[in-house]
Amino acid sequence: MMFGFVFVGGVVYSSFEPLVRADSLVVVNGRVAYVGSEDKALRIADTLGLNVIDLRGRVVMPGFIDSHAHLDSLGISLNSLDLRGVDSIEELKRRLREYADRVRARWVYGRGWDQELFREGRWPSRFDLDSVINDRPVALVRVCGHAAVLNTKALELSGLLNSRDPDVVRDERGEPTGVVVERTLDRVRELINESYTVSDYEDFILSAMRYAASLGVTTIGFVSVNLRSLQALVNLESKLGALPIRVRVYLNPEDHGVNVIDLLRQLGVRRGFGSEYLRINGIKVIADGSLGARTAWLSRPYNDEPGNSGRLNYDKDTLLRIARESDEAGLQLAIHGIGDATIDLILDIYEGLGGTSRLRHRIEHASVLREDLIRRIGRLGAVVAVQPHFVVSDWWVIDRVGVERARYVYPFRTLVNAGARVGFSTDAPVEPLNPFETVYAAVTRGRYENIELLRYTENETLSVREALHLYTCGSAYLLHEENHVCRLEPGYLADFIVLDKDPLGVDDRELREMKVLETYVGGVRVYPAD
Ligand code: ZN
């Protein structure tokens, strides 16, 4: 049985490096059968009896590959109650009621309210929430992420109703108002995450995958995966037959006391185990923190906090043991390193493992580099997952690192020139999943937002063609997929998108407005869904 179709009458980019442009595409049984001239494509259509579809000048390119994103957190954030811009407590209550009727997760979770906008001129209280829901716990996080209002049920479940925790705000009579802040809020968040069942994760991850498809992302490197999320993915694949997009999994090294590396070793699960849609690649380790919180580990103190150089999240021996065990078990490592001291250590570890060529051990973020580190990364041919949108979001980064270190902050072009294998990603939901936001950031580096870093790293901007290459084949290499997806060449899986405009033809300011009209995975249209 032959299943397929022929696209003619448009522009088809089959590769961005080298740049290959054709005017038609033939897909047969989920794979690319031919890319080239319209005459030949029409002859193939005739011979095989395939449908011919007129692109009417629209543009086809390989689907985007996001090498580092958190599908579960993204799904949670997509499914949470969005309270941004709400202008009264009454409106907040109305939205809460509507949302709680619709979403079945045990905890009712929302975010984005700001009491400064409320007509009532006061903070919301647990009694406001109780009047809407008193039998399920509710937590609504303020727009800043550092405070939340809980209903009485949530305070009870968190053990906060009668505690003397200073992070629990009280009224003049000493009664908790429902507002909790900082560390206590973090604990509540953990409690909420613990409450999610495998079936909740199925809902979250499926909606995140559909959202990805709508933005033209056809493969995701899903990092920091817990065992419940993995089970949700396996369940979804068996229920649906095929996932909407392809997912490559990097598990947490430990989950509720389970040594995940050891578990995989005992099962004989090595990198590459799985299907075309769902595959286990390896282990993700978060070795240091972030520049925003000044917890990324730097070799010299923070410019705006002289006593602090950040820190490693593990002791070195533990990190080394995890790396050695993963490597021996045939699992690819993805180690989060933002500060230069951490990246230094990761390189020591990878050199100690005898290089990165076989499993392609990855460095995640690699934000603050040095000339010597870039040389070592190049020599090792190490693979690096970068997030160009950080350039725009971390507009304060010069405050943290000072001008002297700025030259090697997010130095994408220098990394590529040094021989590093670079893949693009978003770290969604940390940064927006929309690939064109990232392409825009890589190409402009904040030129139109007056980002100070640009002044020191002007030479690090990339062309649109280079950015699209790193977002397809660059990312595919990190995921060991460069021979399966990322190009539209005969034999490759037919993962591609249809765009309203030619990304190589628009003004750089227009890049973020690019629209994905259709998304195909394995020759099947996954967006828009029928
Ligand atoms: Zn991340």
Side-chain angles (χ1 to χ4, degrees), residues 68-70 223-224 284 286 336 364-365 387 390 426-428 430:
H68 176 134
H70 302 261
V223 295
S224 300
K284 156 87 181 294
I286 301 175
H336 163 126
E364 309 304 299
H365 314 303
Q387 298 74 33
F390 282 170
T426 59
D427 204 8
V430 176

mmCIF file of all heavy atoms in Angstrom, residues 68-70 223-224 284 286 336 364-365 387 390 426-428 430, ligand 1:
data_model
loop_
_atom_site.group_PDB
_atom_site.id
_atom_site.type_symbol
_atom_site.label_atom_id
_atom_site.label_comp_id
_atom_site.label_asym_id
_atom_site.label_seq_id
_atom_site.Cartn_x
_atom_site.Cartn_y
_atom_site.Cartn_z
ATOM 1 N N HIS A 68 16.643 20.839 23.808
ATOM 2 C CA HIS A 68 16.558 20.900 25.274
ATOM 3 C C HIS A 68 15.286 21.637 25.673
ATOM 4 O O HIS A 68 15.214 22.866 25.594
ATOM 5 C CB HIS A 68 17.810 21.620 25.821
ATOM 6 C CG HIS A 68 17.826 21.844 27.305
ATOM 7 N ND1 HIS A 68 18.928 21.572 28.089
ATOM 8 C CD2 HIS A 68 16.903 22.346 28.162
ATOM 9 C CE1 HIS A 68 18.672 21.884 29.355
ATOM 10 N NE2 HIS A 68 17.452 22.358 29.423
ATOM 11 N N ALA A 69 14.273 20.894 26.095
ATOM 12 C CA ALA A 69 13.047 21.518 26.596
ATOM 13 C C ALA A 69 12.442 20.598 27.644
ATOM 14 O O ALA A 69 12.787 19.417 27.726
ATOM 15 C CB ALA A 69 12.058 21.744 25.450
ATOM 16 N N HIS A 70 11.569 21.169 28.458
ATOM 17 C CA HIS A 70 10.937 20.419 29.549
ATOM 18 C C HIS A 70 9.463 20.258 29.206
ATOM 19 O O HIS A 70 8.652 21.125 29.531
ATOM 20 C CB HIS A 70 11.102 21.177 30.869
ATOM 21 C CG HIS A 70 12.536 21.454 31.239
ATOM 22 N ND1 HIS A 70 13.225 20.682 32.134
ATOM 23 C CD2 HIS A 70 13.411 22.389 30.805
ATOM 24 C CE1 HIS A 70 14.472 21.143 32.251
ATOM 25 N NE2 HIS A 70 14.602 22.175 31.449
ATOM 26 N N VAL A 223 14.376 16.953 28.501
ATOM 27 C CA VAL A 223 15.380 16.790 29.560
ATOM 28 C C VAL A 223 14.752 16.850 30.950
ATOM 29 O O VAL A 223 13.649 17.366 31.117
ATOM 30 C CB VAL A 223 16.493 17.863 29.455
ATOM 31 C CG1 VAL A 223 17.275 17.693 28.170
ATOM 32 C CG2 VAL A 223 15.914 19.263 29.554
ATOM 33 N N SER A 224 15.485 16.318 31.932
ATOM 34 C CA SER A 224 15.031 16.263 33.334
ATOM 35 C C SER A 224 13.717 15.495 33.452
ATOM 36 O O SER A 224 12.755 15.963 34.052
ATOM 37 C CB SER A 224 14.870 17.673 33.917
ATOM 38 O OG SER A 224 16.087 18.363 33.877
ATOM 39 N N LYS A 284 20.244 13.385 32.301
ATOM 40 C CA LYS A 284 20.479 14.826 32.440
ATOM 41 C C LYS A 284 20.883 15.124 33.879
ATOM 42 O O LYS A 284 20.230 14.670 34.818
ATOM 43 C CB LYS A 284 19.184 15.575 32.088
ATOM 44 C CG LYS A 284 19.029 16.964 32.675
ATOM 45 C CD LYS A 284 19.651 18.032 31.801
ATOM 46 C CE LYS A 284 19.528 19.435 32.376
ATOM 47 N NZ LYS A 284 18.187 19.974 32.470
ATOM 48 N N ILE A 286 22.016 18.311 36.538
ATOM 49 C CA ILE A 286 22.055 19.770 36.714
ATOM 50 C C ILE A 286 23.206 20.095 37.657
ATOM 51 O O ILE A 286 23.089 20.004 38.876
ATOM 52 C CB ILE A 286 20.710 20.295 37.237
ATOM 53 C CG1 ILE A 286 19.598 19.928 36.228
ATOM 54 C CG2 ILE A 286 20.763 21.806 37.445
ATOM 55 C CD1 ILE A 286 18.204 20.291 36.670
ATOM 56 N N HIS A 336 24.150 20.066 32.692
ATOM 57 C CA HIS A 336 23.865 21.497 32.751
ATOM 58 C C HIS A 336 25.069 22.225 33.365
ATOM 59 O O HIS A 336 25.450 21.939 34.500
ATOM 60 C CB HIS A 336 22.588 21.672 33.606
ATOM 61 C CG HIS A 336 22.321 23.037 34.144
ATOM 62 N ND1 HIS A 336 21.123 23.696 33.933
ATOM 63 C CD2 HIS A 336 23.061 23.867 34.916
ATOM 64 C CE1 HIS A 336 21.156 24.870 34.543
ATOM 65 N NE2 HIS A 336 22.309 24.998 35.153
ATOM 66 N N GLU A 364 24.983 21.438 28.524
ATOM 67 C CA GLU A 364 23.760 22.232 28.394
ATOM 68 C C GLU A 364 24.043 23.672 28.810
ATOM 69 O O GLU A 364 24.632 23.911 29.864
ATOM 70 C CB GLU A 364 22.655 21.648 29.280
ATOM 71 C CG GLU A 364 22.439 20.159 29.094
ATOM 72 C CD GLU A 364 22.139 19.773 27.654
ATOM 73 O OE1 GLU A 364 21.121 20.247 27.114
ATOM 74 O OE2 GLU A 364 22.944 18.998 27.081
ATOM 75 N N HIS A 365 23.652 24.607 27.992
ATOM 76 C CA HIS A 365 23.725 26.058 28.221
ATOM 77 C C HIS A 365 25.105 26.638 27.886
ATOM 78 O O HIS A 365 25.225 27.473 27.024
ATOM 79 C CB HIS A 365 23.289 26.459 29.637
ATOM 80 C CG HIS A 365 22.021 25.803 30.073
ATOM 81 N ND1 HIS A 365 20.857 25.926 29.350
ATOM 82 C CD2 HIS A 365 21.722 24.983 31.122
ATOM 83 C CE1 HIS A 365 19.892 25.224 29.938
ATOM 84 N NE2 HIS A 365 20.387 24.631 31.021
ATOM 85 N N GLN A 387 20.841 28.148 24.077
ATOM 86 C CA GLN A 387 19.508 28.758 24.054
ATOM 87 C C GLN A 387 19.657 30.222 23.682
ATOM 88 O O GLN A 387 19.754 31.085 24.559
ATOM 89 C CB GLN A 387 18.826 28.642 25.432
ATOM 90 C CG GLN A 387 18.586 27.230 25.919
ATOM 91 C CD GLN A 387 19.856 26.536 26.392
ATOM 92 O OE1 GLN A 387 20.768 27.169 26.923
ATOM 93 N NE2 GLN A 387 19.944 25.241 26.193
ATOM 94 N N PHE A 390 18.174 33.329 25.546
ATOM 95 C CA PHE A 390 18.748 33.867 26.791
ATOM 96 C C PHE A 390 19.395 35.237 26.551
ATOM 97 O O PHE A 390 19.430 36.078 27.443
ATOM 98 C CB PHE A 390 19.822 32.928 27.353
ATOM 99 C CG PHE A 390 19.287 31.711 28.074
ATOM 100 C CD1 PHE A 390 20.149 30.688 28.455
ATOM 101 C CD2 PHE A 390 17.947 31.588 28.382
ATOM 102 C CE1 PHE A 390 19.679 29.559 29.130
ATOM 103 C CE2 PHE A 390 17.454 30.469 29.053
ATOM 104 C CZ PHE A 390 18.333 29.451 29.435
ATOM 105 N N THR A 426 15.370 25.819 23.522
ATOM 106 C CA THR A 426 14.698 26.932 24.211
ATOM 107 C C THR A 426 14.656 26.780 25.729
ATOM 108 O O THR A 426 14.364 27.741 26.427
ATOM 109 C CB THR A 426 13.237 27.045 23.747
ATOM 110 O OG1 THR A 426 12.583 25.800 24.031
ATOM 111 C CG2 THR A 426 13.158 27.353 22.268
ATOM 112 N N ASP A 427 14.887 25.550 26.235
ATOM 113 C CA ASP A 427 14.706 25.321 27.666
ATOM 114 C C ASP A 427 13.250 25.608 28.075
ATOM 115 O O ASP A 427 12.979 25.901 29.234
ATOM 116 C CB ASP A 427 15.679 26.184 28.478
ATOM 117 C CG ASP A 427 15.966 25.617 29.856
ATOM 118 O OD1 ASP A 427 15.532 24.478 30.141
ATOM 119 O OD2 ASP A 427 16.616 26.316 30.658
ATOM 120 N N ALA A 428 12.318 25.557 27.121
ATOM 121 C CA ALA A 428 10.909 25.849 27.443
ATOM 122 C C ALA A 428 10.469 24.983 28.619
ATOM 123 O O ALA A 428 10.879 23.837 28.708
ATOM 124 C CB ALA A 428 10.024 25.556 26.229
ATOM 125 N N VAL A 430 11.139 27.805 30.236
ATOM 126 C CA VAL A 430 11.963 28.934 30.689
ATOM 127 C C VAL A 430 11.974 30.040 29.632
ATOM 128 O O VAL A 430 11.815 31.220 29.924
ATOM 129 C CB VAL A 430 13.405 28.464 30.998
ATOM 130 C CG1 VAL A 430 14.294 29.627 31.367
ATOM 131 C CG2 VAL A 430 13.401 27.413 32.103
HETATM 132 ZN ZN ZN B 1 16.463 23.138 31.264
#
